[in-house]
Amino acid sequence: MSPRYVSGKVLGSLGTLAFVIVFNFFLFRVVEGNPVATLFRGRNLTDAQRAAMRHQFGLDGSKLDQFWHYLVQLAHLNLGRSYETNATVLSEIGAAAWPTIWLVGISTLLSTVIGVAIGIVAAWRRGSVRDHALTSFTMTTYAMPDFWLGMLLLIVFSVLLGWFPIGGISDPTSNTTGIALLADQAYHMVLPCLTLTVAYLGEYAIVMRSSLLDTMREDYLTLARAKGLRDVLVRRRHAVPNALLPVVTLIAINFGFVLSGAIAVESIFSWPGLGHATYAAIRAPDLPMLQGLFLVFSASVIFFNLLADLAYAYLDPRVRTS
Amino acid sequence: MTALAGGKTPSARRITWIRRRRAFAGAWRDYRASTPGLIGLGVLVVIVIGSLAAPLLANHDNLDPSKTLTTPLWASPSQLSPLGTDNLGRPIWDQLVYGSRVSLLVGLAATVIAMVIGSVVGVVAGFYDGWPSAVLMRVTEWFLVIPFLPLAIVLASILGPNVRNVIIVIGITSWPGTARVIRAQVLTVKQRLYVERSRALGAADRHLMLRHIVPNVSPLILANTTLTVPIAILSETTLSFLGLGDPLRASWGRMLDEAFSNGAIGKNAWWYYLPPGIGIVLVVLAFTLVGHALEEVLDPRLRERRS
């Protein structure tokens, strides 16, 4: 990887981040002339309350003044205060980030490993009964709304069988600490994690299968076989590493998106992460919170996109040298 | 050539039509070879006819809780066929049939918006060199990295919940992928000899784009459309589930939202939460199967792989 390639990608990402910051401002201030009126439609507000609300949003003064105010506050990492809890948006997001990072991290790891394995098995024996069964399974999970899958798992494993808790991150009646608390949290994470794993593995399996099918037509695989390599070795040494390239990019890009994709699933299981915070902010409605969350989600996608570009350049020699 | 053996020289328009009909017949022959594609098409036809014939299949009055005072609440299908009732005594069947209309309408209309924006951006960015193309592709990349769901949520909550806004929100957040694919195709099409020939004969940019470029990328647009509809339907479902759908018109996503928030899970009212979910899975799966089958017919690279 040349330094020029890396610095180009980093600069591009910073440009995108700048766009998102500007976009975030206009989204909330300009799309609809008066967010206060829209968000509190149908509620009785006095003129004084309305004016106070506008001031709190930073909606008084000209648009240019507002924009400057927004940039200065952002530079100080001040995202405003939540209407619901009156805590700063930054601290609220900081508290909600860890449950989401754990949940999304573990489920992404599981869904990629399982999805890639399914894709390899399906592609290597294309057209077999096993391929048809696995492809039907992954297509169906891909077609399911993730929160509906969560509802079904909740009904079967919590309501009917009673194996897992209905929701939350830990048992509120016990005040355990240390290892016991961690175990309790892991126990609460099983169902939401399973939901996200199954909901996302379909995409990885489909991409891996189609990528491996493309690779299997390459001449170097015929050569590897002609050399007398066993089937398993041809697959492990030559086919799979090459077919993995597009999947690696997809994983990195998706990881950024899954952070926000967990909104509905986290709400189903009352998992106190960023998704649940978003759900609560919509229902409230809590504008500063939504704005802050949107910024965090966008920034995470940009970051993981950059990571994907760099990983691709590192893994693919054709990009590395050019 | 038999069609041309009519003595008189047929007009250019007629020749074009004959050629198009042949191409279509050939594409349909290839499509028919794909069993999943046929199954998907069959399911789609049934569901679309069902939603168009909704007034014949279901009673719209039953969606209004003030008119279902005589029906029992939380009735199971054995108490009230075919699918029981919800917490307000409204029959699930009528909601399901009329809900399919909203889900399909939003999915199709949002896709039309996304395809128009994506195709125009893709064709223009691919056709022109220099700064217009660079600017358009930069904007496309920006839209690609903005996380779709939070953007849709923010837009929906700012614009207010109704069917029109949900369509707009999903439409203007779903185009960048299409723009990228179309642009890549335009870049190869514009290098072809007949485009160069037409340009040498003095054709204007507009003529080149509409007569040569667009017809050549239109199969790709079609395949992309069938793959965007299921994503749009799933997005509508999620938005409705988060309470950002139209409160006055029940979609399948809204049914799931109401089932969940009214405690259908605790009551284990499977007749409430299963049918809308199964409907969504069927429609999304059907569109995906049709889309993949079309892709295989229309993309020569994939056709090679299949044989």
Side-chain angles (χ1 to χ4, degrees):
Chain A
M1 266 193 292
S2 65
R4 188 147 171 251
Y5 177 84
V6 176
S7 59
K9 288 291 171 197
V10 171
L11 277 178
S13 299
L14 287 179
T16 313
L17 190 64
F19 163 76
V20 165
I21 287 172
V22 176
F23 187 78
N24 195 18
F25 172 80
F26 283 99
L27 194 62
F28 282 86
R29 314 296 162 97
V30 181
V31 168
E32 179 96 336
N34 191 352
V36 173
T38 315
L39 285 172
F40 298 93
R41 189 167 15 210
R43 303 187 193 182
N44 286 321
L45 289 185
T46 65
D47 283 346
Q49 280 172 318
R50 237 181 271 275
M53 210 61 95
R54 294 179 71 81
H55 181 73
Q56 201 170 353
F57 276 128
L59 287 172
D60 34 10
S62 74
K63 283 279 182 291
L64 210 62
D65 287 345
Q66 291 177 24
F67 187 51
W68 179 243
H69 178 75
Y70 161 80
L71 287 182
V72 170
Q73 293 303 314
L74 201 61
H76 290 94
L77 280 180
N78 181 5
L79 299 170
R81 279 178 184 279
S82 158
Y83 290 163
E84 287 296 293
T85 59
N86 205 28
T88 60
V89 168
L90 200 67
S91 66
E92 290 280 303
I93 290 179
W98 282 109
T100 296
I101 290 172
W102 277 111
L103 176 63
V104 169
I106 293 176
S107 67
T108 303
L109 190 70
L110 288 174
S111 62
T112 46
V113 170
I114 301 172
V116 164
I118 290 180
I120 293 174
V121 172
W124 204 251
R125 294 268 171 267
R126 186 158 71 103
S128 66
V129 177
R130 206 191 293 172
D131 175 26
H132 285 304
L134 286 175
T135 307
S136 313
F137 169 71
T138 50
M139 294 280 271
T140 311
T141 59
Y142 182 66
M144 279 186 191
D146 48 8
F147 61 88
W148 187 62
L149 178 65
M151 280 166 75
L152 296 185
L153 292 176
L154 191 64
I155 288 155
V156 173
F157 292 108
S158 297
V159 179
L160 295 181
L161 295 172
W163 290 357
F164 292 102
I166 291 279
I169 191 171
S170 59
D171 188 351
T173 55
S174 74
N175 44 5
T176 50
T177 50
I179 298 291
L181 178 68
L182 218 58
D184 192 34
Q185 290 179 342
Y187 177 53
H188 279 75
M189 197 166 76
V190 171
L191 280 188
C193 192
L194 183 65
T195 307
L196 285 175
T197 304
V198 176
Y200 283 88
L201 65 80
E203 193 178 359
Y204 298 119
I206 292 168
V207 171
M208 183 65 201
R209 178 177 180 274
S210 119
S211 167
L212 190 54
L213 283 181
D214 275 338
T215 311
M216 277 160 66
R217 293 190 306 134
E218 300 280 352
D219 289 338
Y220 55 78
L221 283 200
T222 319
L223 177 70
R225 281 209 190 84
K227 277 196 307 193
L229 275 188
R230 275 181 298 131
D231 211 31
V232 184
L233 287 181
V234 174
R235 184 170 69 192
R236 196 188 304 153
R237 286 201 195 146
H238 295 277
V240 170
N242 283 296
L244 266 176
L245 267 178
V247 183
V248 170
T249 355
L250 185 73
I251 293 168
I253 292 173
N254 262 8
F255 190 78
F257 278 107
V258 178
L259 280 183
S260 56
I263 292 173
V265 173
E266 282 188 5
S267 325
I268 291 271
F269 292 101
S270 315
W271 184 258
L274 294 173
H276 194 256
T278 312
Y279 184 73
I282 300 168
R283 297 269 163 160
D286 190 342
L287 204 70
M289 204 51 199
L290 262 184
Q291 198 172 11
L293 284 164
F294 183 72
L295 203 60
V296 169
F297 288 141
S298 310
S300 74
V301 176
I302 293 169
F303 174 73
F304 284 106
N305 253 310
L306 178 66
L307 218 59
D309 278 338
L310 297 182
Y312 203 86
Y314 179 73
L315 292 172
D316 191 337
R318 284 164 301 189
V319 181
R320 206 186 307 167
T321 49
S322 69
Chain B
M1 281 295 128
T2 46
L4 297 181
K8 262 198 309 181
T9 319
S11 67
R13 187 176 288 265
R14 197 168 139 67
I15 294 179
T16 321
W17 271 113
I18 292 168
R19 213 167 50 203
R20 281 195 191 145
R21 214 166 43 222
R22 277 202 199 130
F24 182 79
W28 171 240
R29 206 168 42 240
D30 286 345
Y31 186 91
R32 260 188 329 201
S34 153
T35 320
L38 284 182
I39 295 175
L41 197 61
V43 171
L44 274 190
V45 168
V46 170
I47 291 175
V48 169
I49 289 177
S51 73
L52 288 176
L56 301 175
L57 296 171
N59 183 359
H60 193 265
D61 282 349
N62 280 345
L63 301 188
D64 184 351
S66 67
K67 288 176 181 152
T68 54
L69 299 175
T70 52
T71 49
L73 311 182
W74 294 112
S76 70
S78 55
Q79 290 167 273
L80 192 115
S81 67
L83 285 175
T85 62
D86 67 2
N87 57 318
L88 298 171
R90 295 174 299 181
I92 304 295
W93 170 252
D94 301 274
Q95 295 185 50
L96 189 69
V97 171
Y98 275 96
S100 73
R101 285 185 155 189
V102 181
S103 292
L104 284 175
L105 172 75
V106 172
L108 292 172
T111 303
V112 169
I113 295 179
M115 285 304 125
V116 169
I117 303 177
S119 308
V120 169
V121 170
V123 168
V124 172
F127 187 79
Y128 292 105
D129 303 312
W131 67 266
S133 165
V135 168
L136 280 177
M137 284 331 284
R138 198 74 236 177
V139 173
T140 309
E141 261 168 51
W142 283 340
F143 269 89
L144 266 179
V145 296
I146 292 178
F148 159 74
L149 196 56
L151 174 62
I153 285 169
V154 169
L155 279 178
S157 52
I158 290 176
L159 291 175
N162 66 48
V163 167
R164 194 199 65 196
N165 287 346
V166 170
I167 290 172
I168 293 175
V169 164
I170 297 175
I172 62 175
T173 45
S174 313
W175 61 269
T178 306
R180 275 236 288 223
V181 175
I182 303 281
R183 174 173 170 270
Q185 183 73 8
V186 171
L187 285 178
T188 70
V189 169
K190 78 169 179 186
Q191 305 292 339
R192 306 249 169 94
L193 274 178
Y194 56 83
V195 177
E196 222 168 285
R197 169 189 165 276
S198 189
R199 195 194 291 276
L201 287 173
D205 286 351
R206 209 176 84 97
H207 177 90
L208 288 176
M209 274 194 271
L210 290 181
R211 282 311 174 95
H212 296 296
I213 307 282
V214 170
N216 263 296
V217 295
S218 55
L220 197 65
I221 297 177
L222 179 68
N224 245 286
T225 306
T226 43
L227 290 174
T228 305
V229 175
I231 299 173
I233 290 178
L234 281 177
S235 310
E236 189 277 337
T237 310
T238 307
L239 284 183
S240 295
F241 182 73
L242 295 174
L244 295 165
D246 194 326
L248 300 175
R249 297 177 68 184
S251 72
W252 287 342
R254 187 165 172 73
M255 284 177 74
L256 287 176
D257 173 33
E258 287 179 347
F260 183 68
S261 45
N262 292 325
I265 288 185
K267 283 197 170 349
N268 196 20
W270 54 268
W271 58 90
Y272 197 176
Y273 59 74
L274 279 186
I278 292 172
I280 293 163
V281 171
L282 278 181
V283 170
V284 170
L285 206 52
F287 269 110
T288 312
L289 291 178
V290 171
H292 282 308
L294 271 182
E295 242 183 2
E296 277 190 11
V297 170
L298 301 170
D299 188 338
R301 211 171 49 87
L302 288 177
R303 200 164 7 171
E304 217 173 282
R305 192 170 78 190
R306 198 178 46 169
S307 54

